[in-house]
Structures are given as structure tokens and as C-alpha cells.
Amino acid sequence: MNSVSRRAATVRLLGAMALLAGFLVAALTLGSDSGATEPYVLAALLVAAGVGFRIEAAITDSRSGGQPPDR
């Protein structure tokens, strides 16, 4: 695995973690009835960042040739 593919895998993992954290924040906030919008803004920013990281990793991986799938 070359360094570009390793970086893409790291960014992809970071994106997945940001998505998970955003959805977790949103789900936990739904359980409380505080009416505050700040947690939803945080969740939206985390989800947007996660999607951006995943798109960046996909573009980087496609430019580097990527790894063929194991079969």
C-alpha cells in the first residue's frame, strides 16, 4: 500500500467517524426535550465534514489508481 492510498484510507476512516459522531449527537439530542438548536448545528457540521472527508478520500484514491479488490 503506497502512501497516497494509506492517506486516503485514513481520511475515509476520519470521515466515517465524523458521520457516526454527527448521527450520534443528533440521536442523543432527540431524546432530550431542551429545544436547543446548538447540538443540531454541531451534528450537521459533523455530518457535512464526514461527507466531505469521504468524498475527498474517494477522489484521492481514484487518482492514485486505488487497490484492486481482493477476490
Side-chain angles (χ1 to χ4, degrees), residues 44-62:
L45 288 175
L46 284 169
V47 169
V51 169
F53 285 140
R54 300 280 300 192
I55 290 172
E56 178 191 355
I59 291 170
T60 302
D61 202 33
S62 69

Side-chain angles (χ1 to χ4, degrees), residues 21-22 25-30 32 34-46:
V25 166
L28 291 175
T29 305
L30 284 175
S32 68
S34 65
T37 59
E38 290 87 3
Y40 293 111
V41 172
L42 174 65
L45 288 175
L46 284 169

